[in-house]
Each structure stands twice: as structure tokens, then as C-alpha cells.
């Protein structure tokens, strides 16, 4: 009795399958082609260089403005503690300020759960514009709040309300912006273009730190506590308008538009992903929970080290080492400028050598160098402090320049924005925003100035395990999306390379 070729005898009986294949070679070739059809030219996205650069610029500048808004609070933590909370010990006021900093992270997963699936349903650019609007409103509103001396406990309550709005909007920012750039970029340069997103993050933090430093030096501590602290928050309004304009001027990503059209047929497996109904949260947690857990571990390690250096370090220098606030910020600004100068080279390196080697270098750098770096910082001289922060910064830049290309590639196109937003913000909520609060509490409980180093080392060890478990995605198409190349010639060469050699 003749076998039904559709049942693929190869899976059940290799011996009989081999005989069947020899008897009916043409039939089995047809079955294989049906299961894994050859790549067609129309399947491949040829990117427009100008469109890619416009998309990268809009996403990166928008991201810079978002993190400028968010960074202001971190760099004014001491001032905000004095302005919005009852007088008491400096440590109690600082803990109150950092607790309010952390509260924004409590709602980030909620923002990710709302904005992420929304970005998969209505498009990336609309949601990114909406997050920009909400962040600008929340930040500008903080700049207009009355102080504790004027209205009592209403003041910190209103501060918490608008911090929650900031955190909610940020929940849709990183996942959307990294998805936006990843889906616009060609496969072979995704690391390079993705590194501009974190260049924007550093630029936002640098702008916030630079503005706070300049105002503190110009006005002095008394004037900053009285009214000067409002200026950085109020600047966010006009910057937000610019970011909204840039994002609304763009088209949505090629990968999302092809998903909308439903005309991608690279393979039957990819086609089933592309044309499947877009899943909400239930689909994300049911089908992608393993990848979500990996994302949470990876982002957790990254966020602890990120917020420890970029958000907490100025406070550490002023409170533990008794630096002036402006002096500590100046050293941090100098460190971030160095990182900005080299971050795009890290993007090029992870395109060439892979995401995992660069991520592993960064994690191991924090694990090995955190203790020596903090010992240098504790020497107190400007040179020693700068050297210690640069050691940490060079480890961090390996993560910054790689994460924005590695994380979007972990999830398929149909649920990429939602999955990444949920995983990233859940981890940021648990580990990132709590970092200044936890470190301050640990130093208070143990009396050890080395607690930031030990905390970073523990996070880095988790990161090493997470990187070892992830798949390499450099120079490969995004899951559930067709290949993306820079030129028609590359597309033709790719089709030719994937076309099976005819047998006579």
C-alpha cells in the first residue's frame, strides 16, 4: 500500500522513508518546497537609508527627551527631599525622595501592559507619540507643584501622582523605541542603528545632569531649594512638543506594515506567525513566558548597573563622600560624554562579532571591576573618582550599545512591542528603579560604603547566566519578519543563496 506523502514518513520510519523518497523523488521535493518554500524577492525588505536615518533620529531624540525628563528627578533627589518632605534627618528625606523615585517604577509594568499590546495593534508610532505627550505633561506638572511648606502633605501626594504618570508613560517608551529602530534597520546593521537609542538615553541624562549642575553653580543651593529646582521640569514642556512632532512625521515600520498587509511568505512557519491574530497579554504570557523570564533576568542585571551608575552615583558622591552636588554631577557628565563618543562603535562591534560576546563582556566587567572601581572612588581625589567611574562606564557601554538590538530580536513581530514592554518594565520595576532606594537602605543598615559594588556584582552574576542562555541574533532577520537588507543587490544575492541547486 502506497504511503501518503503528506504524512511525512521521514518522521516515523527513516528506512522505509528513504525507499519511498528514492521511488518518488519529485513528489517529496514538492512536499519539502511546500513546507519550506524558497525565498522570493518580494519577501525581502530593502531599506531606504534616508528613511532609516529619519526613524533612528526621531526615536533617539524622543528617547533622549523622555530620559531627560526622568533624569531630572534623579539628579535633584536631594533638593526634592528638602522641598517636598517634612524636615528631619537628611537620610530620611533622601529615602523619601528615592521612594518617590521608585514609585514611578511600580506602574511601569502597567504602562507596558497597556501600551505594548496597543503598539502591536494600532502601530508603533502612534503609541510612541502618546507616551511622549504623557511624559511631558507629568514632568512639566511637577515643576508647578506647591512645596510642603505651602500646602503640607498635599505636596508629596501630588508629586507621587505625577511621578506615577511619568512611570506609566515610560512603560511604553523603551519597548516601542527599540522595536521601532530594530524593525527599520537592515539585519546586518541593527546593532549600529540600535546603539543610537542608548546614545539618546545618555544624551538625555547628560542634558539633565548638565542643566542641574549649571543651575546649582549659578543659583546656589538656597535659590535652588526656593525656586530653581522648577526650571528643569518646566523645560520639559517645549522639548516634549518637539519630540511629538518628530514621531508623528514618520511612517510606521516596514515590518509592522507587512504584518498589516499579511503578505509575508518567507516560510510556512514565519507566515503562520505573521498572519496570526495579534495576541494580547494572555497570548504573551502563555506562549512566550520562557523568553519573558530570560528578558526579565537580562534587563534586571542591566538596569541595576545602569541606575547605580547613571542615577545613584551623584548622590553617593555627595552623601557618602561629601562631594558638593555640582562636583559629583560634573564627573558623571564627563563619564557619560566619553560613553557617548564610543557607544556607536560598540554597536558596530556587536554587528560584527555578535550580541552575546559584547553583553558577556559588560556583565563580567561589572562582576570583576565593581569592587576595584568603588575602592578607587572612595580615595576621594578627582582623578581616582573619575578612573573608578570610567571603569564602570566602560562595562556599562558594552550593555548600552547592545541591548537595544538584542532585546527586540527575542520576540516575534506580532507580539514584539507588547512582550518587550512587559518584560522590560517588569524587570525595571523590580530591579531598576529600586536600585537607589535599596543601596541607600543597605548602606544605612550595614554602614558599608561598598554595598553599591556588592549589589552590582550580584546583578552582574545573574546577567552572566542570562547571556549564556540567550540565542545569538546578530545579522539574522527578526523572528516573524522577512530579511531586511540595504540594497537590491544584497536582496538578489540572498535569494540566489537560498535557491536550491537543481539536480539533473
Amino acid at each position: 500500500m502506497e504511503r501518503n506523502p503528506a504524512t511525512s514518513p521521514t518522521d516515523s520510519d527513516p528506512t522505509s522513508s528513504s525507499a519511498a523518497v528514492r521511488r518518488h523523488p519529485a513528489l517529496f521535493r514538492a512536499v519539502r518546497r511546500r513546507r519550506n518554500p524558497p525565498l522570493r524577492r518580494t519577501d525581502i525588505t530593502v531599506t531606504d537609508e534616508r528613511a532609516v536615518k529619519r526613524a533612528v533620529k526621531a526615536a533617539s531624540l524622543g528617547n533622549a527627551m523622555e530620559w531627560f525628563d526622568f533624569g531630572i528627578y534623579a539628579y535633584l533627589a536631594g533638593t526634592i527631599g528638602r522641598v517636598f518632605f517634612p524636615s528631619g534627618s537628611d537620610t530620611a528625606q533622601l529615602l523619601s525622595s528615592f521612594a518617590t523615585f521608585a514609585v514611578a517604577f511600580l506602574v511601569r509594568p502597567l504602562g507596558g501592559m497597556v501600551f505594548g499590546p496597543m503598539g502591536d495593534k494600532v502601530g508603533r508610532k502612534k503609541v510612541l507619540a502618546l507616551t511622549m505627550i504623557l511624559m511631558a505633561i507629568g514632568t512639566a506638572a511637577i515643576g508647578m507643584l506647591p512645596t510642603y511648606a505651602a500646602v503640607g502633605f498635599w505636596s508629596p501626594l501630588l508629586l507621587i501622582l505625577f511621578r506615577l504618570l511619568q512611570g506609566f508613560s515610560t512603560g511604553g517608551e523603551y519597548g516601542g523605541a527599540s522595536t521601532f529602530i530594530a524593525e527599520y534597520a537592515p539585519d546586518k546593521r541593527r546593532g549600529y542603528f540600535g546603539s543610537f537609542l542608548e546614545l539618546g538615553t545618555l544624551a538625555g541624562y547628560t542634558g539633565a545632569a548638565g542643566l542641574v549642575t549649571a543651575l546649582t553653580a549659578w543659583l546656589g543651593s538656597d535659590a535652588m531649594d526656593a525656586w530653581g529646582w522648577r526650571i528643569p521640569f518646566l523645560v520639559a514642556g517645549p522639548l516634549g512638543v518637539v519630540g511629538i512632532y518628530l514621531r508623528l512625521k514618520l511612517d510606521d515600520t516596514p515590518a509592522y506594515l507587512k504584518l498589516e498587509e499579511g503578505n509575508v511568505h518567507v516560510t510556512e512557519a514565519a507566515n503562520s506567525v505573521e498572519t496570526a491574530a495579534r495576541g494580547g497579554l494572555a497570548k504573551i504570557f502563555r506562549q512566550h513566558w520562557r523568553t519573558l523570564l530570560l528578558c526579565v533576568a537580562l534587563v534586571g542585571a542591566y538596569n541595576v548597573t545602569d541606575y547605580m551608575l547613571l542615577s545613584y552615583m551623584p548622590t553617593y558622591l555627595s552623601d557618602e563622600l561629601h562631594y558638593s552636588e555640582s562636583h559629583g554631577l560634573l564627573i558623571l557628565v564627563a563619564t557619560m560624554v566619553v560613553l557617548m563618543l564610543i557607544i556607536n562603535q560598540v554597536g558596530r562591534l556587536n554587528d560584527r562579532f555578535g550580541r552575546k560576546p559584547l553583553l558577556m563582556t559588560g556583565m563580567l566587567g561589572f562582576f570583576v571591576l565593581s569592587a576595584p572601581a568603588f575602592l578607587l572612588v572612595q580615595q576621594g581625589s578627582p582623578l581616582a573618582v573619575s578612573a573608578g567611574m570610567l571603569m564602570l562606564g566602560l562595562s556599562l557601554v558594552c550593555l548600552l550599545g547592545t541591548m537595544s538590538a538584542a532585546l527586540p530580536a527575542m520576540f516575534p513581530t506580532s507580539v514584539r512591542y507588547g512582550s518587550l514592554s512587559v518584560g522590560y518594565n517588569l524587570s525595571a520595576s523590580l530591579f531598576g528603579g529600586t536600585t537607589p532606594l535599596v543601596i541607600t537602605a543597605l548602606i544605612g543598615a550595614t554602614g558599608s560604603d561598598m554595598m553599591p559594588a556588592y549589589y552590582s556584582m550580584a546583578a552582574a552574576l545573574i546577567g552572566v547566566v542570562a547571556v549564556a542562555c540567550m540565542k545569538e541574533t546578530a545579522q539574522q532577520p527578526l523572528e516573524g519578519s522577512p530579511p531586511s537588507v540595504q540594497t537590491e543587490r544584497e536582496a538578489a544575492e540572498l535569494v540566489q543563496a537560498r535557491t536550491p541547486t537543481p539536480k539533473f
Side-chain angles (χ1 to χ4, degrees):
M1 181 177 176
E2 189 169 339
R3 295 180 183 270
N4 180 357
T7 62
S8 184
T10 306
D11 297 333
S12 57
D13 186 354
T15 305
S16 60
S17 298
S18 299
V21 169
R22 287 195 297 271
R23 289 197 303 271
H24 307 286
L27 183 59
F28 278 91
R29 279 199 301 270
V31 171
R32 285 194 294 270
R33 286 173 64 87
R34 181 176 179 81
R35 289 180 175 173
N36 189 25
L39 187 67
R40 301 177 306 190
R41 169 60 193 85
T42 52
D43 293 328
I44 301 173
T45 299
V46 179
T47 59
D48 181 343
E49 183 80 8
R50 290 174 298 179
V52 173
K53 289 181 178 179
R54 284 197 304 270
V56 169
K57 183 190 300 182
S60 301
L61 287 176
N63 200 53
M65 292 167 192
E66 285 261 355
W67 291 107
F68 172 84
D69 294 359
F70 218 72
I72 288 168
Y73 190 98
Y75 300 135
L76 286 171
T79 301
I80 287 171
R82 294 188 292 271
V83 169
F84 285 95
F85 296 97
S87 59
S89 71
D90 291 341
T91 300
Q93 286 185 329
L94 187 61
L95 281 171
S96 299
S97 179
F98 278 141
T100 311
F101 178 80
V103 78
F105 287 80
L106 296 178
V107 295
R108 278 185 64 167
L110 181 60
M113 291 178 187
V114 171
F115 292 122
M118 187 187 301
D120 287 326
K121 292 176 182 177
V122 304
R124 290 29 172 152
K125 78 165 189 175
K126 294 177 183 177
V127 177
L128 284 173
L130 178 58
T131 62
M132 189 93 253
I133 293 169
L134 294 178
M135 175 61 86
I137 292 172
T139 308
I142 291 175
M144 295 184 283
L145 289 180
T147 65
Y148 182 85
V151 297
F153 280 99
W154 283 106
S155 179
L157 287 176
L158 289 170
L159 176 64
I160 290 172
L161 174 65
F162 288 111
R163 283 292 294 164
L164 290 173
L165 181 60
Q166 281 187 316
F168 185 72
S169 71
T170 308
E173 172 60 27
Y174 184 89
S178 58
T179 293
F180 199 81
I181 292 179
E183 292 182 349
Y184 253 106
D187 296 333
K188 292 184 178 180
R189 302 187 70 194
R190 188 166 292 117
Y192 171 69
F193 285 118
S195 67
F196 280 93
L197 183 66
E198 295 295 358
L199 177 64
T201 300
L202 289 171
Y205 273 126
T206 302
L211 181 57
V212 170
T213 303
L215 286 172
T216 302
W218 179 37
L219 299 175
S221 296
D222 291 340
M224 281 295 289
D225 286 1
W227 57 272
W229 63 270
R230 298 182 184 275
I231 296 174
F233 290 102
L234 294 175
V235 167
L239 289 179
V241 173
V242 174
I244 294 162
Y245 172 78
L246 288 172
R247 288 185 169 180
L248 288 176
K249 287 277 290 181
L250 292 171
D251 293 326
D252 233 314
T253 68
Y256 179 80
L257 293 176
K258 287 203 171 190
L259 181 63
E260 282 281 276
E261 296 164 5
N263 62 354
V264 181
H265 304 286
V266 180
T267 66
E268 286 190 356
N271 186 49
S272 67
V273 173
E274 294 286 0
T275 58
R278 288 189 190 84
L281 292 174
K283 179 180 178 182
I284 291 171
F285 284 108
R286 185 174 62 251
Q287 298 184 9
H288 304 283
W289 64 270
R290 291 182 182 85
T291 312
L292 273 177
L293 287 177
L294 182 60
C295 178
V296 167
L298 194 61
V299 173
Y302 159 60
N303 268 303
V304 166
T305 54
D306 187 0
Y307 284 100
M308 184 274 295
L309 180 61
L310 301 185
S311 296
Y312 173 74
M313 188 59 79
T315 303
Y316 179 82
L317 292 176
S318 60
D319 278 32
E320 306 302 328
L321 303 184
H322 309 295
Y323 267 62
S324 68
E325 291 182 358
S326 58
H327 195 175
L329 281 173
L330 277 174
I331 295 176
L332 178 61
V333 167
T335 303
M336 289 194 292
V337 169
V338 173
L339 302 190
M340 290 170 66
L341 293 175
I342 63 177
I343 191 169
N344 295 137
Q345 301 308 314
V346 174
R348 285 193 171 98
L349 286 174
N350 73 68
D351 276 332
R352 181 176 179 182
F353 297 108
R355 318 292 187 222
K356 293 182 66 170
L358 270 295
L359 291 175
M360 190 64 78
T361 299
M363 296 298 182
L364 290 175
F366 270 106
F367 184 72
V368 173
L369 299 177
S370 287
F374 270 90
L375 289 173
L376 271 175
V377 168
Q378 289 174 7
Q379 296 300 309
S381 69
L383 182 61
V385 172
S386 299
M389 290 181 64
L390 188 60
M391 288 169 64
L392 298 173
L394 292 176
S395 299
L396 180 62
V397 79
C398 293
L399 307 181
L400 288 173
T402 308
M403 281 290 184
S404 49
L407 293 175
M410 296 174 72
F411 301 100
T413 302
S414 59
V415 294
R416 180 170 298 123
Y417 195 155
S419 300
L420 182 53
S421 293
V422 170
Y424 187 93
N425 289 294
L426 182 61
S427 186
S429 175
L430 293 172
F431 307 109
T434 59
T435 295
L437 178 64
V438 170
I439 291 176
T440 302
L442 287 173
I443 292 175
T446 64
S448 172
D449 292 342
M450 288 296 290
M451 291 311 299
Y454 301 147
Y455 196 58
S456 297
M457 291 168 67
L461 188 59
I462 294 172
V464 167
V465 176
V467 173
C469 293
M470 67 181 288
K471 294 189 297 185
E472 181 59 72
T473 57
Q475 300 195 24
Q476 299 175 19
L478 293 169
E479 183 181 350
S481 289
S484 179
V485 299
Q486 289 183 273
T487 65
E488 290 284 351
R489 180 177 179 179
E490 282 185 76
E493 290 173 350
L494 186 58
V495 170
Q496 186 176 8
R498 300 271 188 97
T499 301
T501 304
K503 296 180 179 179
F504 300 96

